[in-house]
Amino acid sequence: MSTLFAAGEARAFLDAAIKGDLPDDRGRFGPFGGRYVPETLVPAFERLEKGVHEHLHEAAFQSEFQKELREWVGRPTALTFAPQLSKAWAAEVWIKREDLAHTGAHKINNAIGQALLAKRLGAQRVIAETGAGQHGVAAAAACARVDLPCSVYMGVVDMERQAPNVDRIRRLGAEVIAVESGDKTLRAAIDEALRAWVTDPNGIYYLLGSAVGAHPYPYLVRELQTVIGKEARQQMLDQAGGLPDVAFACVGGGSNAIGLFYPLLGDDVELIGVEAGGTGVGLGQNAATLATGTPGVLQGAYTIILQDDDGQVQETHSISAGLDYSGVGPEHALLQAIGRVKYISATDDEALEALEELCATEGILTALETAHAYAAARKYAQQNPGKRILIGNSGRGDKDMPTLTQYPARIRSHESA
Ligand SMILES: *Cc1c(COP(=O)(O)O)cnc(C)c1O
């Protein structure tokens, strides 16, 4: 797997990652990451980097952040043993319940952390991008909480597809700015938000939603999301009596996955990230960036992206809007290249099936994004019986009911019994 590096070099990168030495001071994770932005954006990024450096690990900020996580987000989230699923899979299955966090997914950890940072940096208002609307909702809620006005950039195509979230964002007191440019979806929304940021880098804070983009975002978002893995690691020791053999998380931009994996990097735990396999392996049919992509620059970072032979970034497809992105965080690109994390994909159909099975066996309606992790874990269990499996349950599936309703339920065990 680690064809990019000699064994010794891969080991050195892993040791650096475990020690907390990555990214380096240029924002690089080995060859990946960095900051490839237009000259006009450099002062805004430098100002943010300085602010992160000064505040993120400072005691006053951390105690404020931990207090909000406890009292407003509802942390720690539960670690749930799944007895029926364990029986069905001939495995020992544990679930880290980010679906129980405020607003229904892990995204709120990052949103409230950055909103508090915005406040510290003296920002007068916050801007954010959103695709499916989930990050827009989290950002709007967090900004309401810290009393900062918030504008959410959203492509007009997404506004139409995700109308309930547009309404949710507005009710949470934020403004939705319709983006008509470019592909009219997430990528265009990010570009427009960056354009707005340039106009007033001191007054505006840009609250990015995943562990992607130019330095320091992949680092900042990881640091705010590692609460997932830190809690899960301790809960496994306390409740399961030991660490898992393997941990699974779904990967869109990669924030919930890096949050779960990062505190486990130094442990003897196999780590598997699961991307959206969509309807097939062809370009445009999936969002399996790490599984099928190639190196390139996307939105400020050198990472693995889905592009054609001419370097044109490709449209993606996934049944889950949150995994539908043609790039991935640069730290994941490194973790794949050094062979520490394996990245595989699950198809739309496999995700739907896994979602149904989990729902019927454990009474947990998971998000379509998350269902990809279950689909992969289920396959793994078939090939590796008796393993202790940890699954990062990144969010809840209530938001997906309009999609799920189009697919009649296949599991009806109690009705037919
Ligand atoms: C947004 C989202 C994801 C994908 O984002 P990451 O940054 O890859 O974590 C996964 N699961 C849920 C529930 C989401 O809302």
Side-chain angles (χ1 to χ4, degrees), residues 104-107 134 209-211 250-257 322-323 367 369-370 394-396 399:
H106 69 288
K107 286 195 171 74
Q134 295 303 114
S210 188
C250 65
V251 178
S255 70
N256 88 89
L323 301 187
E369 290 83 1
T370 320
S394 56
R396 63 178 181 230
K399 68 177 176 59

Short mmCIF file of all heavy atoms in Angstrom, two decimals, residues 104-107 134 209-211 250-257 322-323 367 369-370 394-396 399, ligand 1:
data_model
loop_
_atom_site.label_atom_id
_atom_site.label_comp_id
_atom_site.label_asym_id
_atom_site.label_seq_id
_atom_site.Cartn_x
_atom_site.Cartn_y
_atom_site.Cartn_z
N GLY A 104 -27.43 16.66 15.97
CA GLY A 104 -27.52 15.34 15.36
C GLY A 104 -26.31 14.78 14.66
O GLY A 104 -26.43 13.77 13.96
N ALA A 105 -25.15 15.40 14.83
CA ALA A 105 -23.95 14.86 14.19
C ALA A 105 -22.70 15.47 14.84
O ALA A 105 -22.79 16.40 15.64
CB ALA A 105 -23.95 15.13 12.69
N HIS A 106 -21.56 14.92 14.44
CA HIS A 106 -20.27 15.40 14.96
C HIS A 106 -19.96 16.83 14.55
O HIS A 106 -19.11 17.47 15.16
CB HIS A 106 -19.16 14.49 14.44
CG HIS A 106 -18.94 14.64 12.96
ND1 HIS A 106 -19.84 14.15 12.03
CD2 HIS A 106 -17.98 15.27 12.25
CE1 HIS A 106 -19.43 14.45 10.82
NE2 HIS A 106 -18.30 15.13 10.92
N LYS A 107 -20.59 17.35 13.52
CA LYS A 107 -20.20 18.65 12.97
C LYS A 107 -20.25 19.77 14.01
O LYS A 107 -19.53 20.74 13.92
CB LYS A 107 -21.11 19.02 11.79
CG LYS A 107 -20.78 18.20 10.54
CD LYS A 107 -21.43 18.83 9.32
CE LYS A 107 -20.93 18.18 8.04
NZ LYS A 107 -21.52 16.84 7.83
N GLN A 134 -25.95 20.49 6.46
CA GLN A 134 -25.70 20.06 7.85
C GLN A 134 -24.69 20.97 8.54
O GLN A 134 -24.87 21.33 9.70
CB GLN A 134 -25.20 18.62 7.89
CG GLN A 134 -26.21 17.60 7.41
CD GLN A 134 -27.50 17.66 8.19
OE1 GLN A 134 -28.54 18.01 7.65
NE2 GLN A 134 -27.44 17.35 9.46
N GLY A 209 -16.14 23.72 7.38
CA GLY A 209 -16.85 22.58 7.96
C GLY A 209 -16.19 21.23 8.02
O GLY A 209 -16.71 20.32 8.64
N SER A 210 -15.02 21.05 7.39
CA SER A 210 -14.39 19.73 7.47
C SER A 210 -12.88 19.88 7.51
O SER A 210 -12.36 21.00 7.40
CB SER A 210 -14.82 18.85 6.30
OG SER A 210 -14.37 17.52 6.49
N ALA A 211 -12.17 18.76 7.64
CA ALA A 211 -10.72 18.81 7.80
C ALA A 211 -10.04 18.94 6.45
O ALA A 211 -9.16 18.14 6.10
CB ALA A 211 -10.25 17.55 8.54
N CYS A 250 -16.84 6.77 8.35
CA CYS A 250 -17.07 7.21 6.98
C CYS A 250 -16.23 8.45 6.70
O CYS A 250 -15.89 9.20 7.62
CB CYS A 250 -18.55 7.47 6.74
SG CYS A 250 -19.23 8.84 7.68
N VAL A 251 -15.91 8.66 5.44
CA VAL A 251 -15.03 9.76 5.04
C VAL A 251 -15.65 10.56 3.90
O VAL A 251 -15.87 10.05 2.80
CB VAL A 251 -13.66 9.21 4.57
CG1 VAL A 251 -12.76 10.36 4.10
CG2 VAL A 251 -12.97 8.43 5.67
N GLY A 252 -15.98 11.82 4.22
CA GLY A 252 -16.36 12.76 3.17
C GLY A 252 -15.14 13.66 2.99
O GLY A 252 -14.22 13.37 2.24
N GLY A 253 -15.11 14.78 3.74
CA GLY A 253 -13.88 15.57 3.83
C GLY A 253 -12.92 14.93 4.81
O GLY A 253 -11.72 15.12 4.75
N GLY A 254 -13.49 14.17 5.76
CA GLY A 254 -12.66 13.40 6.66
C GLY A 254 -12.61 13.87 8.10
O GLY A 254 -11.76 13.44 8.87
N SER A 255 -13.54 14.75 8.53
CA SER A 255 -13.41 15.30 9.88
C SER A 255 -13.83 14.33 10.98
O SER A 255 -13.16 14.22 12.00
CB SER A 255 -14.18 16.62 10.01
OG SER A 255 -15.58 16.45 9.97
N ASN A 256 -14.95 13.59 10.78
CA ASN A 256 -15.30 12.65 11.86
C ASN A 256 -14.31 11.50 11.90
O ASN A 256 -13.97 10.99 12.98
CB ASN A 256 -16.76 12.19 11.75
CG ASN A 256 -16.97 10.98 10.86
OD1 ASN A 256 -16.90 9.84 11.33
ND2 ASN A 256 -17.21 11.19 9.58
N ALA A 257 -13.78 11.10 10.74
CA ALA A 257 -12.83 9.99 10.70
C ALA A 257 -11.51 10.38 11.37
O ALA A 257 -10.99 9.63 12.20
CB ALA A 257 -12.58 9.56 9.25
N GLY A 322 -23.54 14.26 2.36
CA GLY A 322 -22.37 14.63 3.16
C GLY A 322 -21.07 13.97 2.71
O GLY A 322 -19.99 14.37 3.14
N LEU A 323 -21.15 12.94 1.88
CA LEU A 323 -19.92 12.30 1.39
C LEU A 323 -19.61 12.72 -0.04
O LEU A 323 -18.62 12.32 -0.62
CB LEU A 323 -20.04 10.77 1.44
CG LEU A 323 -20.30 10.13 2.80
CD1 LEU A 323 -20.23 8.61 2.69
CD2 LEU A 323 -19.31 10.62 3.85
N ALA A 367 -27.27 8.08 9.99
CA ALA A 367 -27.22 8.90 8.76
C ALA A 367 -26.77 8.05 7.59
O ALA A 367 -26.04 7.08 7.75
CB ALA A 367 -26.25 10.06 8.96
N GLU A 369 -24.61 8.82 5.44
CA GLU A 369 -23.15 8.89 5.40
C GLU A 369 -22.57 7.76 6.25
O GLU A 369 -21.77 6.95 5.81
CB GLU A 369 -22.66 10.24 5.95
CG GLU A 369 -22.94 11.45 5.08
CD GLU A 369 -24.36 12.00 5.26
OE1 GLU A 369 -25.12 11.44 6.08
OE2 GLU A 369 -24.70 12.98 4.56
N THR A 370 -23.01 7.74 7.51
CA THR A 370 -22.51 6.77 8.48
C THR A 370 -22.76 5.33 8.03
O THR A 370 -21.96 4.44 8.32
CB THR A 370 -23.22 7.00 9.83
OG1 THR A 370 -23.35 8.39 10.06
CG2 THR A 370 -22.46 6.36 10.96
N SER A 394 -21.34 8.78 12.98
CA SER A 394 -21.14 10.23 12.83
C SER A 394 -22.41 11.06 12.97
O SER A 394 -22.35 12.21 13.38
CB SER A 394 -20.48 10.53 11.49
OG SER A 394 -21.22 10.00 10.41
N GLY A 395 -23.58 10.49 12.63
CA GLY A 395 -24.78 11.31 12.77
C GLY A 395 -26.06 10.50 12.66
O GLY A 395 -26.03 9.30 12.37
N ARG A 396 -27.18 11.17 12.90
CA ARG A 396 -28.45 10.47 12.85
C ARG A 396 -29.14 10.68 11.50
O ARG A 396 -28.85 11.62 10.77
CB ARG A 396 -29.35 10.90 14.00
CG ARG A 396 -29.74 12.36 13.97
CD ARG A 396 -30.69 12.66 15.15
NE ARG A 396 -31.06 14.06 15.09
CZ ARG A 396 -30.98 14.89 16.12
NH1 ARG A 396 -30.53 14.49 17.28
NH2 ARG A 396 -31.34 16.15 15.99
N LYS A 399 -32.67 13.33 9.05
CA LYS A 399 -32.54 14.23 7.90
C LYS A 399 -32.68 13.47 6.58
O LYS A 399 -32.95 14.08 5.54
CB LYS A 399 -31.19 14.94 7.94
CG LYS A 399 -30.02 13.98 7.72
CD LYS A 399 -28.67 14.65 7.70
CE LYS A 399 -27.53 13.66 7.57
NZ LYS A 399 -27.55 12.80 6.37
C1 LIG B 1 -21.06 15.89 6.99
C2 LIG B 1 -21.18 14.51 7.48
C3 LIG B 1 -20.20 13.53 7.20
C4 LIG B 1 -19.01 13.79 6.32
O1 LIG B 1 -18.12 14.76 6.77
P1 LIG B 1 -16.69 14.42 7.35
O2 LIG B 1 -16.01 15.72 7.41
O3 LIG B 1 -16.04 13.45 6.41
O4 LIG B 1 -16.89 13.82 8.69
C5 LIG B 1 -20.34 12.27 7.74
N1 LIG B 1 -21.42 11.96 8.50
C6 LIG B 1 -22.38 12.86 8.79
C7 LIG B 1 -23.53 12.44 9.63
C8 LIG B 1 -22.30 14.16 8.29
O5 LIG B 1 -23.26 15.05 8.58
#
